[in-house]
Short mmCIF file of all heavy atoms in Angstrom, two decimals:
data_model
loop_
_atom_site.label_atom_id
_atom_site.label_comp_id
_atom_site.label_asym_id
_atom_site.label_seq_id
_atom_site.Cartn_x
_atom_site.Cartn_y
_atom_site.Cartn_z
N ALA C 11 10.67 -15.54 5.49
CA ALA C 11 10.70 -14.07 5.47
C ALA C 11 9.67 -13.49 6.43
O ALA C 11 9.93 -12.50 7.12
CB ALA C 11 10.46 -13.54 4.06
N ASN C 12 8.50 -14.11 6.51
CA ASN C 12 7.48 -13.65 7.44
C ASN C 12 7.93 -13.79 8.88
O ASN C 12 7.63 -12.96 9.72
CB ASN C 12 6.16 -14.40 7.23
CG ASN C 12 5.32 -13.78 6.15
OD1 ASN C 12 5.52 -12.64 5.78
ND2 ASN C 12 4.38 -14.54 5.64
N LEU C 13 8.64 -14.85 9.19
CA LEU C 13 9.14 -15.05 10.54
C LEU C 13 10.22 -14.04 10.88
O LEU C 13 10.27 -13.50 11.99
CB LEU C 13 9.68 -16.47 10.72
CG LEU C 13 8.63 -17.58 10.76
CD1 LEU C 13 9.31 -18.94 10.81
CD2 LEU C 13 7.71 -17.40 11.95
N ILE C 14 11.10 -13.79 9.94
CA ILE C 14 12.21 -12.86 10.16
C ILE C 14 11.69 -11.43 10.28
O ILE C 14 12.14 -10.66 11.13
CB ILE C 14 13.25 -12.96 9.03
CG1 ILE C 14 13.93 -14.32 9.09
CG2 ILE C 14 14.27 -11.84 9.13
CD1 ILE C 14 14.84 -14.61 7.92
N PHE C 15 10.75 -11.05 9.46
CA PHE C 15 10.25 -9.68 9.42
C PHE C 15 8.87 -9.55 10.05
O PHE C 15 8.09 -8.71 9.66
CB PHE C 15 10.22 -9.17 7.97
CG PHE C 15 11.56 -9.20 7.31
CD1 PHE C 15 11.82 -10.09 6.29
CD2 PHE C 15 12.56 -8.35 7.73
CE1 PHE C 15 13.07 -10.13 5.68
CE2 PHE C 15 13.81 -8.38 7.13
CZ PHE C 15 14.06 -9.28 6.10
N ALA C 16 8.59 -10.37 11.06
CA ALA C 16 7.30 -10.32 11.72
C ALA C 16 7.13 -8.98 12.43
O ALA C 16 8.10 -8.41 12.94
CB ALA C 16 7.18 -11.47 12.71
N SER C 17 5.91 -8.52 12.46
CA SER C 17 5.60 -7.23 13.07
C SER C 17 4.50 -7.38 14.11
O SER C 17 3.69 -8.29 14.03
CB SER C 17 5.15 -6.23 12.02
OG SER C 17 6.15 -6.01 11.07
N ASN C 18 4.50 -6.46 15.04
CA ASN C 18 3.45 -6.36 16.04
C ASN C 18 2.80 -5.00 15.93
O ASN C 18 3.39 -4.06 15.41
CB ASN C 18 4.00 -6.52 17.46
CG ASN C 18 4.41 -7.94 17.77
OD1 ASN C 18 3.86 -8.89 17.22
ND2 ASN C 18 5.36 -8.10 18.65
N ILE C 19 1.59 -4.90 16.46
CA ILE C 19 0.94 -3.60 16.62
C ILE C 19 0.53 -3.49 18.08
O ILE C 19 -0.08 -4.40 18.63
CB ILE C 19 -0.26 -3.41 15.67
CG1 ILE C 19 -0.85 -2.02 15.85
CG2 ILE C 19 -1.29 -4.50 15.82
CD1 ILE C 19 -1.81 -1.59 14.76
N SER C 20 0.93 -2.39 18.69
CA SER C 20 0.59 -2.14 20.09
C SER C 20 -0.14 -0.81 20.20
O SER C 20 0.14 0.13 19.46
CB SER C 20 1.84 -2.09 20.96
OG SER C 20 2.45 -3.35 21.03
N VAL C 21 -1.06 -0.75 21.16
CA VAL C 21 -1.79 0.47 21.45
C VAL C 21 -1.45 0.88 22.87
O VAL C 21 -1.45 0.05 23.78
CB VAL C 21 -3.31 0.28 21.29
CG1 VAL C 21 -4.06 1.56 21.62
CG2 VAL C 21 -3.64 -0.19 19.88
N PHE C 22 -1.13 2.16 23.03
CA PHE C 22 -0.75 2.71 24.33
C PHE C 22 -1.69 3.85 24.70
O PHE C 22 -2.06 4.65 23.84
CB PHE C 22 0.68 3.26 24.30
CG PHE C 22 1.70 2.23 23.93
CD1 PHE C 22 2.05 2.01 22.60
CD2 PHE C 22 2.32 1.47 24.91
CE1 PHE C 22 2.99 1.06 22.26
CE2 PHE C 22 3.26 0.51 24.57
CZ PHE C 22 3.60 0.30 23.25
N LYS C 23 -2.06 3.92 25.95
CA LYS C 23 -2.81 5.06 26.47
C LYS C 23 -1.78 6.05 26.99
O LYS C 23 -0.90 5.68 27.78
CB LYS C 23 -3.73 4.60 27.61
CG LYS C 23 -4.68 5.64 28.09
CD LYS C 23 -5.77 5.83 27.08
CE LYS C 23 -6.99 6.49 27.74
NZ LYS C 23 -8.08 6.58 26.81
N VAL C 24 -1.85 7.30 26.53
CA VAL C 24 -0.90 8.33 26.95
C VAL C 24 -1.71 9.50 27.51
O VAL C 24 -2.14 10.38 26.76
CB VAL C 24 0.01 8.77 25.79
CG1 VAL C 24 1.04 9.78 26.28
CG2 VAL C 24 0.71 7.58 25.15
N GLU C 25 -1.92 9.47 28.81
CA GLU C 25 -2.67 10.55 29.46
C GLU C 25 -1.84 11.83 29.45
O GLU C 25 -0.62 11.78 29.51
CB GLU C 25 -3.02 10.17 30.91
CG GLU C 25 -4.04 9.06 31.02
CD GLU C 25 -5.41 9.43 30.49
OE1 GLU C 25 -5.75 10.62 30.39
OE2 GLU C 25 -6.16 8.49 30.16
N GLY C 26 -2.53 12.93 29.39
CA GLY C 26 -1.85 14.22 29.43
C GLY C 26 -1.69 14.88 28.06
O GLY C 26 -1.44 16.07 28.00
N MET C 27 -1.80 14.10 27.00
CA MET C 27 -1.73 14.72 25.67
C MET C 27 -2.99 15.58 25.50
O MET C 27 -4.10 15.07 25.61
CB MET C 27 -1.67 13.66 24.56
CG MET C 27 -0.43 12.85 24.52
SD MET C 27 -0.25 11.85 22.99
CE MET C 27 -1.76 10.93 22.93
N HIS C 28 -2.80 16.88 25.26
CA HIS C 28 -3.97 17.75 25.17
C HIS C 28 -3.98 18.65 23.94
O HIS C 28 -4.91 19.43 23.76
CB HIS C 28 -4.07 18.60 26.45
CG HIS C 28 -2.91 19.50 26.65
ND1 HIS C 28 -1.73 19.07 27.21
CD2 HIS C 28 -2.74 20.81 26.37
CE1 HIS C 28 -0.89 20.08 27.26
NE2 HIS C 28 -1.46 21.14 26.76
N CYS C 29 -2.96 18.53 23.10
CA CYS C 29 -2.93 19.37 21.90
C CYS C 29 -2.15 18.63 20.79
O CYS C 29 -1.47 17.65 21.05
CB CYS C 29 -2.28 20.72 22.19
SG CYS C 29 -0.51 20.62 22.55
N PRO C 30 -2.27 19.11 19.56
CA PRO C 30 -1.55 18.47 18.46
C PRO C 30 -0.03 18.45 18.64
O PRO C 30 0.64 17.52 18.20
CB PRO C 30 -1.94 19.31 17.24
CG PRO C 30 -3.27 19.87 17.58
CD PRO C 30 -3.20 20.13 19.07
N LEU C 31 0.52 19.44 19.32
CA LEU C 31 1.95 19.46 19.57
C LEU C 31 2.37 18.29 20.47
O LEU C 31 3.42 17.69 20.28
CB LEU C 31 2.36 20.80 20.20
CG LEU C 31 3.85 21.03 20.38
CD1 LEU C 31 4.58 20.93 19.04
CD2 LEU C 31 4.10 22.39 21.01
N CYS C 32 1.51 17.96 21.42
CA CYS C 32 1.79 16.82 22.31
C CYS C 32 1.87 15.52 21.51
O CYS C 32 2.80 14.73 21.69
CB CYS C 32 0.69 16.68 23.36
SG CYS C 32 0.50 18.09 24.46
N THR C 33 0.90 15.30 20.65
CA THR C 33 0.89 14.06 19.86
C THR C 33 2.09 14.01 18.92
O THR C 33 2.68 12.96 18.73
CB THR C 33 -0.42 13.91 19.06
OG1 THR C 33 -0.58 15.02 18.19
CG2 THR C 33 -1.62 13.77 19.97
N THR C 34 2.46 15.16 18.38
CA THR C 34 3.62 15.22 17.49
C THR C 34 4.89 14.85 18.23
O THR C 34 5.73 14.11 17.72
CB THR C 34 3.75 16.61 16.85
OG1 THR C 34 2.56 16.88 16.11
CG2 THR C 34 4.94 16.70 15.93
N ALA C 35 5.05 15.35 19.45
CA ALA C 35 6.25 15.06 20.24
C ALA C 35 6.34 13.57 20.55
O ALA C 35 7.41 12.96 20.44
CB ALA C 35 6.24 15.87 21.53
N VAL C 36 5.21 12.96 20.94
CA VAL C 36 5.20 11.53 21.26
C VAL C 36 5.50 10.70 20.02
O VAL C 36 6.32 9.78 20.06
CB VAL C 36 3.85 11.13 21.90
CG1 VAL C 36 3.74 9.62 22.05
CG2 VAL C 36 3.68 11.81 23.26
N LYS C 37 4.85 11.04 18.91
CA LYS C 37 5.09 10.30 17.66
C LYS C 37 6.55 10.40 17.24
O LYS C 37 7.16 9.41 16.84
CB LYS C 37 4.18 10.83 16.55
CG LYS C 37 2.75 10.39 16.69
CD LYS C 37 1.77 11.04 15.75
CE LYS C 37 2.22 11.38 14.40
NZ LYS C 37 1.17 11.96 13.54
N LYS C 38 7.13 11.59 17.33
CA LYS C 38 8.53 11.79 16.93
C LYS C 38 9.47 10.95 17.79
O LYS C 38 10.40 10.33 17.28
CB LYS C 38 8.89 13.26 17.02
CG LYS C 38 10.30 13.56 16.59
CD LYS C 38 10.62 15.03 16.69
CE LYS C 38 12.07 15.25 16.29
NZ LYS C 38 12.51 16.61 16.54
N ALA C 39 9.24 10.92 19.09
CA ALA C 39 10.10 10.15 20.00
C ALA C 39 10.04 8.66 19.67
O ALA C 39 11.06 7.97 19.68
CB ALA C 39 9.68 10.39 21.45
N ILE C 40 8.86 8.17 19.36
CA ILE C 40 8.70 6.74 19.05
C ILE C 40 9.31 6.42 17.68
O ILE C 40 9.97 5.39 17.51
CB ILE C 40 7.22 6.32 19.11
CG1 ILE C 40 6.70 6.46 20.54
CG2 ILE C 40 7.04 4.89 18.61
CD1 ILE C 40 5.21 6.30 20.69
N LYS C 41 9.12 7.29 16.71
CA LYS C 41 9.64 7.06 15.36
C LYS C 41 11.17 6.96 15.33
O LYS C 41 11.73 6.35 14.42
CB LYS C 41 9.20 8.17 14.40
CG LYS C 41 7.78 8.04 13.96
CD LYS C 41 7.41 9.17 13.00
CE LYS C 41 5.97 9.10 12.59
NZ LYS C 41 5.58 10.19 11.70
N GLU C 42 11.84 7.54 16.31
CA GLU C 42 13.30 7.50 16.34
C GLU C 42 13.84 6.13 16.73
O GLU C 42 15.03 5.87 16.55
CB GLU C 42 13.83 8.57 17.31
CG GLU C 42 13.62 9.97 16.78
CD GLU C 42 14.10 11.04 17.75
OE1 GLU C 42 14.61 10.70 18.84
OE2 GLU C 42 13.95 12.22 17.40
N LEU C 43 13.00 5.25 17.24
CA LEU C 43 13.44 3.90 17.62
C LEU C 43 13.64 3.03 16.39
O LEU C 43 12.85 3.09 15.44
CB LEU C 43 12.39 3.24 18.53
CG LEU C 43 12.13 3.92 19.87
CD1 LEU C 43 10.93 3.27 20.55
CD2 LEU C 43 13.36 3.86 20.75
N ASP C 44 14.70 2.22 16.41
CA ASP C 44 14.94 1.28 15.32
C ASP C 44 13.85 0.20 15.34
O ASP C 44 13.55 -0.36 16.39
CB ASP C 44 16.30 0.60 15.47
CG ASP C 44 17.45 1.53 15.11
OD1 ASP C 44 17.21 2.49 14.34
OD2 ASP C 44 18.57 1.30 15.59
N GLY C 45 13.29 -0.05 14.18
CA GLY C 45 12.29 -1.10 14.07
C GLY C 45 10.86 -0.60 14.01
O GLY C 45 9.94 -1.36 13.75
N VAL C 46 10.65 0.71 14.23
CA VAL C 46 9.30 1.26 14.16
C VAL C 46 8.94 1.48 12.69
O VAL C 46 9.68 2.08 11.94
CB VAL C 46 9.20 2.59 14.94
CG1 VAL C 46 7.86 3.26 14.70
CG2 VAL C 46 9.41 2.34 16.42
N GLN C 47 7.79 0.96 12.31
CA GLN C 47 7.32 1.08 10.93
C GLN C 47 6.31 2.21 10.77
O GLN C 47 6.33 2.93 9.78
CB GLN C 47 6.69 -0.23 10.47
CG GLN C 47 7.67 -1.39 10.48
CD GLN C 47 6.98 -2.72 10.27
OE1 GLN C 47 5.82 -2.79 9.86
NE2 GLN C 47 7.68 -3.79 10.58
N LYS C 48 5.41 2.35 11.76
CA LYS C 48 4.38 3.38 11.65
C LYS C 48 3.88 3.74 13.05
O LYS C 48 3.74 2.88 13.90
CB LYS C 48 3.21 2.87 10.80
CG LYS C 48 2.13 3.89 10.56
CD LYS C 48 1.04 3.36 9.67
CE LYS C 48 -0.02 4.44 9.46
NZ LYS C 48 -1.13 3.95 8.64
N VAL C 49 3.61 5.03 13.24
CA VAL C 49 3.06 5.52 14.50
C VAL C 49 1.88 6.42 14.18
O VAL C 49 1.96 7.26 13.29
CB VAL C 49 4.11 6.34 15.29
CG1 VAL C 49 3.51 6.83 16.60
CG2 VAL C 49 5.36 5.54 15.55
N SER C 50 0.80 6.23 14.91
CA SER C 50 -0.33 7.16 14.79
C SER C 50 -0.83 7.48 16.19
O SER C 50 -0.81 6.63 17.07
CB SER C 50 -1.44 6.58 13.92
OG SER C 50 -1.96 5.41 14.50
N ALA C 51 -1.27 8.72 16.37
CA ALA C 51 -1.76 9.16 17.67
C ALA C 51 -3.14 9.79 17.50
O ALA C 51 -3.37 10.53 16.55
CB ALA C 51 -0.79 10.16 18.28
N ARG C 52 -4.03 9.48 18.43
CA ARG C 52 -5.36 10.05 18.41
C ARG C 52 -5.55 10.89 19.68
O ARG C 52 -5.54 10.37 20.80
CB ARG C 52 -6.42 8.95 18.37
CG ARG C 52 -6.44 8.20 17.04
CD ARG C 52 -7.52 7.16 17.00
NE ARG C 52 -7.30 5.75 17.12
CZ ARG C 52 -6.21 5.04 17.33
NH1 ARG C 52 -5.09 5.63 17.54
NH2 ARG C 52 -6.19 3.73 17.37
N LEU C 53 -5.69 12.17 19.48
CA LEU C 53 -5.80 13.10 20.59
C LEU C 53 -7.10 12.89 21.38
O LEU C 53 -7.10 12.93 22.60
CB LEU C 53 -5.71 14.54 20.08
CG LEU C 53 -5.64 15.64 21.13
CD1 LEU C 53 -4.46 15.42 22.06
CD2 LEU C 53 -5.52 16.99 20.45
N ASN C 54 -8.19 12.62 20.68
CA ASN C 54 -9.48 12.49 21.36
C ASN C 54 -9.55 11.28 22.30
O ASN C 54 -10.24 11.32 23.32
CB ASN C 54 -10.63 12.45 20.35
CG ASN C 54 -10.54 11.28 19.39
OD1 ASN C 54 -9.46 10.75 19.16
ND2 ASN C 54 -11.65 10.89 18.81
N THR C 55 -8.83 10.21 21.99
CA THR C 55 -8.81 9.03 22.86
C THR C 55 -7.54 8.93 23.68
O THR C 55 -7.43 8.07 24.55
CB THR C 55 -8.96 7.73 22.04
OG1 THR C 55 -7.86 7.63 21.13
CG2 THR C 55 -10.27 7.69 21.29
N LYS C 56 -6.58 9.80 23.37
CA LYS C 56 -5.25 9.79 24.02
C LYS C 56 -4.56 8.44 23.85
O LYS C 56 -3.91 7.93 24.75
CB LYS C 56 -5.37 10.17 25.49
CG LYS C 56 -5.96 11.57 25.68
CD LYS C 56 -5.87 12.03 27.06
CE LYS C 56 -6.47 13.40 27.31
NZ LYS C 56 -6.65 14.31 26.26
N GLU C 57 -4.70 7.87 22.65
CA GLU C 57 -4.09 6.59 22.33
C GLU C 57 -3.09 6.72 21.20
O GLU C 57 -3.27 7.51 20.27
CB GLU C 57 -5.15 5.56 21.93
CG GLU C 57 -6.04 5.16 23.08
CD GLU C 57 -7.10 4.15 22.69
OE1 GLU C 57 -7.21 3.80 21.50
OE2 GLU C 57 -7.82 3.71 23.59
N VAL C 58 -2.02 5.94 21.30
CA VAL C 58 -0.98 5.90 20.28
C VAL C 58 -0.85 4.47 19.81
O VAL C 58 -0.71 3.55 20.63
CB VAL C 58 0.37 6.40 20.86
CG1 VAL C 58 1.47 6.29 19.82
CG2 VAL C 58 0.25 7.82 21.36
N SER C 59 -0.91 4.26 18.50
CA SER C 59 -0.73 2.94 17.90
C SER C 59 0.64 2.88 17.25
O SER C 59 1.03 3.82 16.55
CB SER C 59 -1.79 2.67 16.84
OG SER C 59 -3.07 2.70 17.42
N VAL C 60 1.33 1.77 17.46
CA VAL C 60 2.68 1.61 16.92
C VAL C 60 2.78 0.27 16.22
O VAL C 60 2.49 -0.77 16.82
CB VAL C 60 3.75 1.69 18.04
CG1 VAL C 60 5.15 1.62 17.44
CG2 VAL C 60 3.58 2.94 18.88
N ILE C 61 3.21 0.28 14.97
CA ILE C 61 3.52 -0.95 14.23
C ILE C 61 5.04 -1.04 14.20
O ILE C 61 5.71 -0.08 13.79
CB ILE C 61 2.94 -0.91 12.81
CG1 ILE C 61 1.42 -0.77 12.86
CG2 ILE C 61 3.35 -2.17 12.04
CD1 ILE C 61 0.78 -0.52 11.52
#
Side-chain angles (χ1 to χ4, degrees):
N12 275 341
L13 288 175
I14 293 172
F15 301 110
S17 299
N18 288 332
I19 182 166
S20 293
V21 178
F22 301 90
K23 188 74 160 184
V24 183
E25 291 295 339
M27 293 192 306
H28 62 278
C29 68
L31 186 58
C32 299
T33 59
T34 300
V36 171
K37 285 171 35 178
K38 182 180 177 189
I40 295 171
K41 283 181 183 179
E42 290 178 1
L43 298 171
D44 286 336
V46 172
Q47 298 169 15
K48 184 177 180 182
V49 180
S50 62
R52 291 182 255 3
L53 187 56
N54 60 337
T55 61
K56 300 190 181 338
E57 292 180 356
V58 177
S59 299
V60 184
I61 300 171

